[in-house]
Amino acid sequence: MLGESLCRFPVVPAVWRVMLLWLCVCICLPAQGALVVSRRDALTQETKDDMDTRSIKKRSTESANKVEVYSVTLHCTVTSRFAHTVMTSKALNKAYTSQEIFFEVELPKTAFITNFSMEIEGQVYAGEVKEKEKAKKQYEKAVSSGQTAGLVKASGRKMEKFSVSVNIAAKSSVTFILTYEELLQRKLGQYEILTRVKPKQPVQEFKIVADIYEPKGIAFANATATFLTNDLLSLVEKTVTDTKAHISFSPTLEQQRKCSGCEDTIIDGDFIITYDVKREETHGEVQIVNGYFVHFFAPPDLPRVPKNVVFVIDRSGSMSGRKIEQTRDALEAILKDLHVEDHFALILFDNTIVTWMDSLTKATEENVSGAIAYIRKLRDNGATNINDAILRAVSMLVKEREDGNLPERSVDMIILLTDGMPNSGESNLQKIQENARSAIGGKMSMFCLGFGNDVDYSFLDVLCRQNKGLARRIFEGSDATLQLQGFYEEVSSPLLLEVDLRYSDNAVDLLTKNHYSQLFNGSEIVVSGRVTNDNLDNFLVEVFAKGPEKDFWVQGKASVINMDMIYPEEEYIFGDFTERLWAYLTIQQLLEKSDVGTQQEKDNATAKALDMSLRYSFVTPVTSMVVTKPETEDTLIADKLTEDQRQEAERNSVDGDPHFMIELPDRDDALCFNINDKPGTIFNLVRDPKSGFMVNGQIIGKKKVVPDDGNMHTYFGHLGIVHQKLGVRLEVSTQDISVFHDGKQVKLLWSDTASIKETNMDFSLTKNCSLTVTLRHSVKFKVIRHTKVWKRRHDRQDYLGFYTLDSHHLSASVHGLLGQFYHGVNFEVTDLRPGELQENLDATMYVKGQTLNVTRRWQKDFSSNVKNGENIPCWFVNNDGTGLIDGRASDYVVSGLFKTAF
């Protein structure tokens, strides 16, 4: 049996689960949510056509065997911007046999889960927040013993998906309840609560409710949805008083249907609530409730501060195609948005640094037109020298300041856009950060845009936070231009600089961050802390800042909020919302500090974040929520991902056991299959005739054959990798690596550490571990060397795993055992049932016009953890993948490591 080479690829969303719930409500943009409640009966047209005859036979029994989702409610309560969301879903297993039910919730990256529970047959199983490492051990123990486990995974741009599954007895029901909390962020003059609803079928009880409480008054509150017809518009109920807004949407079962009697629902899209609060006092809004205060600062009608901005744009080879086009379009719109009092400059970089002009220029109509004409000629070329590009931008701003060419009361900004890793000039990430921080010296702000998935976002994040700015990921897609413009709009209009928020001496402690480098138009500064002085009548607030014409100073008093008096008829107990808001904000800021500073400072920040996360039951990057069913000890885990983990989860990979795993990132699932053949057989894994990119793999057997073992254990031992257009050839074995490029040959051992950086290729070898290769305009992949040890037999076997990290440049004609799945596969899984082994689940899969029996298994993925791997659930297809792959496995056998013909 061939070992340790999994294939994981992004594919067209699969259609298979007995019941799938995607829930998300009360989400502050930029986070988005999704509500999908479905048995996954909705198929693509291609799959539907293949299944028409079979569907007719199934209809008579389907209603009796299905899982019915009969209630979905989403209730969001916002108290002074602090959102508390409860999502509840109820389902009934109508079948006469037990079935596995899946519950998946998409929630914003910035939200913290605070509770998750399940009620099954009258028994409630509640979650407990634990230190992440302890929870991980419990989770791995559950997986190794064959018990079910759930995890939070990255899901799209702004979401992460919490997914669990439980086995429900015949004619039994289950109730899922998930709660999370978040401080809403004000952007472009409003708060936004967005719920994406895609039920796929009518639901007996479907309700979205939002209650917004703002003691200082609500300026406006609006609700709309992308799917609202004239008939549904009247179903959105909105009541807005001075200090409260109530919005609800609750269509009946019939009102949800696309047509009378049909099973399709018209509800499919985004439900959006926007609001803002009244802002009359220039010192902001200060509330004291139950011993904690919160200060919201966003004074109205302030003039903007002129800005001096240097745009530093990556034009290296990896920016080719749509990325460079979208960058051109976005820059054109951004340049047109500059104000005449602003100054700007353009720096383009690959392995060289090029400037439009040698100095900053005023944003006159003539200068902007000239810059747009220059940008329209932007073309990709060369490598990536981030270090020198940043230093050139800093030197330009420093010189302009020294020469007195910029307004005294203006802000200096650098906006860096890059899509890759530095591979020209200085390439040590920490050294680049040190160089930038030393050169900037706290005198300007730096904002970073990481385009695509090859960029090291954590590097950019630290780089910008060290220099009074922030980073943002720009996701590849048709709307990348709008993403770039949207980020710029958020930071394009500074109103105040060096904002200090101060409070009465000896009156507060445990303050969150109270100094901000800038306040942007449409945003808001929030400070919170604990009140230590009982004399609240003398609680003074002062704000100092620099404005466009003079220094800004304002003073005011805090107000003690009595929620019972403002909302006398409300049953909701506001309780400790200010304390929880303070805890949420403190933890967020501690986690940011855990990436910056000395190691001791990082460790201290992490320890404090962990302590507070446990105390307030927040699921954060340092904690996990564990739900255990006592009678089975099945373990469910809710995690919180870091941006690095989200980014890693979005990548495609090949490794593990069995040979091939096809990842379904939108479903947090995978398909997998084995290929069995004799040692020495060579298979074509990837073949793209358009680019000439090809990967072949030769299998090897065990060093020692165990008599009567029953299985032929084989592994990938050699890889042949070719890119004809770029003139690159690699031969990788478990002993060494040979690189042929531009007529040169380099031979390396796995015990070496090496780096090769050329125009068309970036090659990095980590000692005794992994090889990462980026081929320009084509593909990025990783090869990992593993060692399997059989201690009892004193035997070991070295073998290889192959990971595709980025394949979107490959053509639609790409094929091979792995390549055929790069552009997706449609399938459905039904009839879930107990397998031959008690811990496994069997099912029926419909794929490519075939009906296959599949088994639920856990397999190892080593993409992010080379030593221990990560357990990944997959549906295993037997018989060498027959029915899933095109043709037979023998069709992919080639005669040589670098042969393309079958």
Side-chain angles (χ1 to χ4, degrees):
M1 195 165 65
L2 202 60
E4 303 298 347
S5 288
L6 294 181
C7 165
R8 301 173 63 205
F9 302 101
V11 302
V12 174
V15 188
W16 62 275
R17 288 184 168 170
V18 173
M19 184 187 79
L20 181 61
L21 300 180
W22 292 11
L23 302 175
C24 191
V25 66
C26 191
I27 296 171
C28 157
L29 284 190
Q32 297 182 5
L35 164 61
V36 179
V37 183
S38 175
R39 290 178 51 249
R40 287 297 162 194
D41 292 332
L43 305 179
T44 63
Q45 189 60 47
E46 178 183 355
T47 309
K48 282 181 178 177
D49 292 342
D50 291 339
M51 297 173 61
D52 278 346
T53 304
R54 183 174 63 251
S55 296
I56 294 173
K57 297 177 181 178
K58 288 167 59 182
R59 283 173 190 153
S60 61
T61 58
E62 186 180 68
S63 59
N65 292 328
K66 73 177 183 179
V67 171
E68 178 188 359
V69 183
Y70 62 90
S71 176
V72 175
T73 61
L74 306 97
H75 192 182
C76 173
T77 303
V78 181
T79 310
S80 298
R81 287 74 140 183
F82 194 64
H84 175 91
T85 302
V86 180
M87 301 176 287
T88 306
S89 180
K90 301 178 181 180
L92 172 66
N93 178 11
K94 301 177 73 173
Y96 289 99
T97 58
S98 63
Q99 296 198 67
E100 187 177 18
I101 296 181
F102 290 81
F103 175 75
E104 292 188 346
V105 176
E106 292 200 42
L107 63 156
K109 295 176 180 178
T110 50
F112 291 158
I113 292 174
T114 62
N115 189 38
F116 172 69
S117 64
M118 301 179 296
E119 182 177 345
I120 304 172
E121 298 177 353
Q123 180 71 41
V124 176
Y125 306 97
E128 178 185 0
V129 175
K130 296 185 177 183
E131 182 180 353
K132 174 162 284 190
E133 288 305 311
K134 293 180 180 178
K136 184 179 179 182
K137 290 178 181 178
Q138 185 172 346
Y139 165 75
E140 290 176 344
K141 180 180 178 182
V143 172
S144 64
S145 61
Q147 297 155 3
T148 54
L151 281 174
V152 171
K153 292 292 185 184
S155 176
R157 300 175 180 181
K158 302 166 184 176
M159 310 301 296
E160 49 197 26
K161 183 189 300 179
F162 170 57
S163 173
V164 300
S165 65
V166 292
N167 201 55
I168 301 300
K171 304 298 180 180
S172 296
S173 62
V174 58
T175 298
F176 298 101
I177 303 175
L178 183 107
T179 305
Y180 69 82
E181 295 177 336
E182 180 182 19
L183 177 63
L184 300 181
Q185 300 175 30
R186 186 171 185 254
K187 293 189 176 180
L188 303 177
Q190 63 185 18
Y191 310 95
E192 192 160 40
I193 304 167
L194 183 148
T195 305
R196 183 158 296 158
V197 286
K198 295 179 179 291
K200 299 297 183 184
Q201 62 183 20
V203 179
Q204 186 68 43
E205 181 189 30
F206 180 85
K207 184 183 297 184
I208 299 174
V209 178
D211 288 304
I212 303 169
Y213 302 90
E214 293 289 351
K216 287 296 182 180
I218 295 175
F220 67 86
N222 297 313
T224 186
T226 57
F227 54 81
L228 283 182
T229 62
N230 289 334
D231 293 335
L232 290 178
L233 189 61
S234 60
L235 300 180
V236 179
E237 297 181 359
K238 182 179 74 170
T239 304
V240 182
T241 62
D242 184 40
T243 60
K244 179 186 174 183
H246 173 82
I247 295 168
S248 65
F249 177 64
S250 182
T252 65
L253 194 67
E254 290 304 314
Q255 289 168 335
Q256 296 171 48
R257 300 186 192 276
K258 275 189 176 181
C259 57
S260 178
C262 64
E263 288 301 313
D264 293 332
T265 176
I266 197 172
I267 300 174
D268 185 356
D270 296 338
F271 190 85
I272 306 162
I273 299 171
T274 57
Y275 82 96
D276 198 13
V277 301
K278 295 178 180 178
R279 303 177 188 278
E280 299 174 353
E281 298 172 337
T282 55
H283 72 273
E285 175 186 351
V286 185
Q287 299 178 18
I288 301 176
V289 179
N290 292 345
Y292 285 81
F293 83 92
V294 58
H295 181 191
F296 302 102
F297 180 70
D301 306 322
L302 291 178
R304 59 183 302 279
V305 177
K307 63 180 177 293
N308 315 303
V309 55
V310 181
F311 298 98
V312 183
I313 308 301
D314 185 347
R315 64 167 187 178
S316 62
S318 57
M319 285 285 291
S320 65
R322 188 165 62 166
K323 283 195 282 189
I324 204 78
E325 295 172 4
Q326 292 172 323
T327 300
R328 283 197 299 263
D329 293 342
L331 278 173
E332 182 172 341
I334 287 170
L335 290 169
K336 289 179 179 178
D337 191 54
L338 290 170
H339 295 260
V340 69
E341 64 270 19
D342 294 335
H343 290 71
F344 73 102
L346 296 170
I347 294 178
L348 310 181
F349 72 95
D350 42 43
N351 50 297
T352 61
I353 313 300
V354 178
T355 60
W356 172 52
M357 292 188 176
D358 292 335
S359 60
L360 278 80
T361 184
K362 198 168 186 180
T364 63
E365 185 176 346
E366 180 182 0
N367 289 336
V368 168
S369 297
I372 290 174
Y374 180 75
I375 285 297
R376 285 174 178 167
K377 300 175 184 178
L378 180 62
R379 299 291 184 270
D380 60 283
N381 182 51
T384 308
N385 189 343
I386 293 177
N387 183 76
D388 290 354
I390 294 172
L391 297 182
R392 177 69 65 87
V394 175
S395 64
M396 288 179 70
L397 284 165
V398 170
K399 186 176 186 303
E400 293 295 286
R401 279 287 176 195
E402 291 175 348
D403 293 346
N405 296 331
L406 304 176
E408 181 181 350
R409 288 184 175 269
S410 60
V411 58
D412 297 341
M413 303 167 60
I414 297 171
I415 297 181
L416 168 69
L417 169 66
T418 181
D419 78 328
M421 294 286 287
N423 56 14
S424 177
E426 180 60 66
S427 59
N428 183 286
L429 302 184
Q430 187 173 354
K431 184 63 176 176
I432 294 173
Q433 292 168 342
E434 292 173 357
N435 291 344
R437 189 174 189 179
S438 176
I440 289 173
K443 296 177 182 177
M444 56 194 74
S445 297
M446 186 171 182
F447 300 93
C448 300
L449 296 165
F451 205 147
N453 204 32
D454 288 339
V455 71
D456 188 327
Y457 179 81
S458 61
F459 158 66
L460 295 180
D461 184 42
V462 173
L463 177 67
C464 288
R465 285 196 283 113
Q466 286 178 336
N467 295 291
K468 303 196 298 188
L470 56 92
R472 179 76 54 83
R473 285 185 66 191
I474 302 299
F475 294 83
E476 292 185 51
S478 59
D479 67 337
T481 297
L482 296 177
Q483 294 179 60
L484 291 166
Q485 290 175 231
F487 175 81
Y488 172 76
E489 189 176 359
E490 290 179 31
V491 301
S492 63
S493 296
L495 304 178
L496 295 173
L497 308 177
E498 305 303 333
V499 185
D500 269 311
L501 302 100
R502 304 176 188 175
Y503 308 94
S504 300
D505 293 339
N506 303 319
V508 299
D509 65 0
L510 304 179
L511 269 183
T512 61
K513 179 180 176 181
N514 64 328
H515 175 84
Y516 288 81
S517 300
Q518 54 263 317
L519 170 69
F520 294 107
N521 186 40
S523 67
E524 181 176 64
I525 290 174
V526 183
V527 180
S528 185
R530 186 174 64 181
V531 178
T532 59
N533 192 330
D534 294 335
N535 186 9
L536 299 180
D537 292 335
N538 295 320
F539 190 101
L540 294 179
V541 176
E542 288 184 294
V543 182
F544 299 85
K546 295 180 180 178
E549 298 175 356
K550 60 182 180 180
D551 287 347
F552 178 92
W553 175 80
V554 67
Q555 184 184 65
K557 286 188 176 183
S559 56
V560 180
I561 302 298
N562 188 327
M563 291 291 185
D564 293 333
M565 292 183 62
I566 299 175
Y567 306 104
E569 298 179 359
E570 296 299 330
E571 295 181 2
Y572 176 78
I573 301 174
F574 296 93
D576 58 355
F577 87 89
T578 47
E579 183 178 353
R580 294 191 66 79
L581 185 157
W582 163 80
Y584 171 93
L585 202 55
T586 300
I587 293 170
Q588 288 276 33
Q589 293 172 3
L590 285 169
L591 292 171
E592 290 178 1
K593 290 180 181 179
S594 67
D595 293 329
V596 181
T598 66
Q599 191 59 49
Q600 183 176 354
E601 290 171 337
K602 294 178 182 179
D603 292 343
N604 288 341
T606 300
K608 290 179 181 177
L610 172 60
D611 179 68
M612 290 191 64
S613 298
L614 293 173
R615 193 188 323 163
Y616 289 94
S617 293
F618 283 136
V619 178
T620 71
V622 293
T623 57
S624 297
M625 179 167 286
V626 180
V627 184
T628 302
K629 293 176 61 178
E631 71 275 16
T632 63
E633 295 189 357
D634 285 358
T635 301
L636 310 173
I637 302 287
D639 266 334
K640 182 74 176 175
L641 305 182
T642 65
E643 192 61 40
D644 278 349
Q645 291 168 330
R646 296 185 192 106
Q647 190 174 13
E648 186 67 33
E650 293 160 12
R651 293 178 172 144
N652 317 317
S653 59
V654 180
D655 199 6
D657 182 9
H659 281 115
F660 306 102
M661 180 179 282
I662 306 159
E663 184 186 16
L664 310 167
D666 290 339
R667 299 291 177 264
D668 187 22
D669 215 319
L671 307 178
C672 50
F673 59 95
N674 273 341
I675 299 292
N676 296 307
D677 214 307
K678 61 181 181 296
T681 304
I682 302 173
F683 289 103
N684 174 253
L685 304 181
V686 183
R687 183 182 77 257
D688 183 15
K690 186 173 181 180
S691 66
F693 178 68
M694 182 197 71
V695 182
N696 289 339
Q698 183 179 39
I699 59 176
I700 57 176
K702 282 185 179 181
K703 293 180 179 178
K704 296 181 180 179
V705 178
V706 181
D708 301 323
D709 192 11
N711 290 307
M712 172 66 74
H713 293 280
T714 54
Y715 307 84
F716 277 122
H718 295 85
L719 294 173
I721 304 165
V722 174
H723 196 296
Q724 293 177 351
K725 286 189 176 181
L726 298 182
V728 175
R729 190 177 80 169
L730 288 87
E731 183 173 351
V732 185
S733 72
T734 56
Q735 289 79 39
D736 53 40
I737 302 151
S738 295
V739 185
F740 302 86
H741 186 225
D742 288 342
K744 297 176 291 185
Q745 178 179 354
V746 178
K747 191 167 186 177
L748 299 166
L749 299 176
W750 278 102
S751 56
D752 295 329
T753 297
S755 178
I756 301 174
K757 301 180 186 297
E758 298 188 11
T759 301
N760 292 327
M761 181 180 70
D762 191 345
F763 175 105
S764 178
L765 175 61
T766 302
K767 181 178 180 180
N768 293 326
C769 182
S770 65
L771 164 69
T772 304
V773 180
T774 302
L775 299 178
R776 182 189 178 199
H777 298 177
S778 182
V779 66
K780 181 177 181 180
F781 59 86
K782 176 189 288 186
V783 179
I784 294 178
R785 188 183 74 160
H786 297 285
T787 298
K788 187 175 182 67
V789 179
W790 292 268
K791 294 181 179 179
R792 287 184 299 175
R793 300 197 298 269
H794 305 287
D795 193 14
R796 57 176 285 163
Q797 178 70 59
D798 293 339
Y799 60 93
L800 303 175
F802 179 86
Y803 288 75
T804 309
L805 302 183
D806 185 356
S807 62
H808 78 277
H809 284 296
L810 297 179
S811 72
S813 57
V814 65
H815 207 264
L817 278 172
L818 312 182
Q820 63 186 287
F821 299 109
Y822 280 178
H823 298 297
V825 59
N826 298 315
F827 68 93
E828 179 193 21
V829 173
T830 62
D831 188 24
L832 279 74
R833 55 193 182 274
E836 292 182 10
L837 298 177
Q838 186 175 1
E839 65 269 19
N840 289 340
L841 188 70
D842 285 353
T844 301
M845 175 183 289
Y846 304 110
V847 59
K848 295 183 178 181
Q850 306 291 321
T851 302
L852 310 176
N853 291 320
V854 295
T855 302
R856 193 67 164 163
R857 292 187 181 178
W858 288 90
Q859 305 297 345
K860 287 281 189 179
D861 165 25
F862 294 89
S863 58
S864 56
N865 186 335
V866 176
K867 182 179 179 181
N868 299 314
E870 177 188 1
N871 286 293
I872 300 293
C874 70
W875 291 105
F876 180 76
V877 180
N878 292 294
N879 303 321
D880 291 348
T882 301
L884 177 61
I885 63 172
D886 295 336
R888 298 170 300 173
S890 59
D891 296 337
Y892 298 85
V893 175
V894 293
S895 59
L897 203 58
F898 296 97
K899 296 291 186 180
T900 58
F902 294 161

